[in-house]
Amino acid sequence: QLEHIINNLNPSKTHHRFRLCLVTMSSPEFPIGILYQGTKLIYEIPKGMRENVMRIYNGISEEEYNSVENSFIEKRLTFHLAFFHAVVLERLQFGSIGWNIPYEFNPSDFSISRRHLKIFLSEKMNNENSKIPFEALSYVIGELNYGGRVTDRWDRRLLLSILNKYFSEKINCSDFSFGSRYKPPNFNDDEVESSYIKVLESVSKWPVVTDGEDVGLSKNASTITARNEALKIFSSLIE
């Protein structure tokens, strides 16, 4: 019916500002005629660790990030949280190799986790002798915020293991690393070095393409994923 209405629109009798906007999921039943006549906008998850982390920081205002209350500890842990978020999303690109079930992780998971991080750290600031509550943060972020979407028990175990790598006392060890290809910003008491601009400059130097090893997978994962994408393209062309 919709296709029939569109095909019978008369430009001379239609208001010059008339527009038809459709929001829809992909469906094989959707009329191909409407697709041919329309301009299509498709939203996809950014590909690559660099793009995912950049997207996170582009959603944070520079004034808020550089505020006095935002200590270098919070800036550092915010970066760890952003990197964790990027790893979680990037594993989705590897299909069933990354996660047993594809989950719809999104920026709201990061936003609520960052809010909890601020709350826990503000309580720590009120008590100078207290340590960073990694255990409590891991539970809230891993079990509730991100884990609330995870239904497979092995995926949940994996999620908590990844989080433990970036949100635990391990980050203070001398051998801690985000990976040989991902050099983190220099977080210290120097406000210039920890500034919003410096973080973006550091992330912009990261590689564009993410390898399987960067997110805890084997070297073969990248090859398998590239092969599957190529087969999908050829399948679409043949169809």
Side-chain angles (χ1 to χ4, degrees):
Q1 288 180 336
L2 178 62
E3 186 175 19
H4 176 75
I5 293 171
I6 292 175
N7 290 336
N8 288 280
L9 285 175
N10 187 344
S12 63
K13 296 181 180 180
T14 306
H15 195 280
H16 71 282
R17 294 189 63 186
F18 171 76
R19 299 291 185 274
L20 176 63
C21 300
L22 302 175
V23 181
T24 176
M25 299 291 287
S26 297
S27 171
E29 298 176 3
F30 199 85
I32 197 75
I34 297 177
L35 291 177
Y36 281 151
Q37 297 181 65
T39 300
K40 294 171 284 296
L41 298 177
I42 302 173
Y43 171 80
E44 291 185 349
I45 298 173
K47 287 189 176 182
M49 294 294 295
R50 187 183 78 170
E51 297 305 318
N52 275 298
V53 174
M54 289 288 279
R55 181 190 179 196
I56 286 292
Y57 276 91
N58 285 331
I60 302 174
S61 76
E62 184 175 355
E63 291 75 20
E64 178 207 351
Y65 184 84
N66 292 332
S67 63
V68 178
E69 294 81 7
N70 199 342
S71 66
F72 79 94
I73 296 175
E74 183 180 333
K75 290 179 179 178
R76 183 187 179 192
L77 292 181
T78 297
F79 181 81
H80 280 247
L81 182 60
F83 197 88
F84 163 74
H85 179 82
V87 171
V88 167
L89 286 182
E90 196 58 23
R91 288 184 72 101
L92 289 171
Q93 310 290 351
F94 292 89
S96 58
I97 305 173
W99 299 102
N100 289 332
I101 300 173
Y103 303 103
E104 295 184 0
F105 298 113
N106 58 59
S108 66
D109 299 318
F110 173 84
S111 299
I112 188 66
S113 297
R114 183 167 179 251
R115 196 177 306 162
H116 284 136
L117 175 63
K118 280 180 171 290
I119 294 171
F120 279 93
L121 289 182
S122 64
E123 293 178 358
K124 176 189 177 299
M125 295 296 288
N126 295 331
N127 186 357
E128 296 181 357
N129 296 323
S130 65
K131 296 182 179 179
I132 299 174
F134 282 118
E135 186 175 348
L137 280 169
S138 296
Y139 180 81
V140 172
I141 296 172
E143 293 281 3
L144 304 181
N145 298 344
Y146 285 86
R149 300 182 183 276
V150 180
T151 54
D152 184 86
R153 67 188 184 95
W154 292 107
D155 282 344
R156 179 178 291 272
R157 178 177 173 179
L158 171 62
L159 179 77
L160 294 174
S161 297
I162 296 173
L163 180 62
N164 184 59
K165 181 178 179 181
Y166 306 111
F167 254 78
S168 67
E169 293 294 344
K170 295 178 183 177
I171 66 173
N172 295 319
C173 297
S174 57
D175 59 345
F176 174 79
S177 171
F178 288 103
S180 58
R181 306 201 311 154
Y182 301 97
K183 184 180 179 181
N186 183 23
F187 293 105
N188 51 42
D189 290 314
D190 187 344
E191 291 185 6
V192 176
E193 287 297 319
S194 303
S195 68
Y196 183 85
I197 298 299
K198 285 291 183 181
V199 172
L200 293 184
E201 285 179 1
S202 297
V203 175
S204 65
K205 296 176 183 177
W206 289 0
V208 176
V209 179
T210 301
D211 292 335
E213 291 178 295
D214 298 332
V215 293
L217 300 172
S218 68
K219 293 181 179 179
N220 294 329
S222 299
T223 306
I224 294 171
T225 302
R227 176 180 175 274
N228 290 340
E229 286 186 0
L231 289 174
K232 188 176 180 181
I233 292 172
F234 286 129
S235 176
S236 298
L237 286 172
I238 292 170
E239 186 180 350

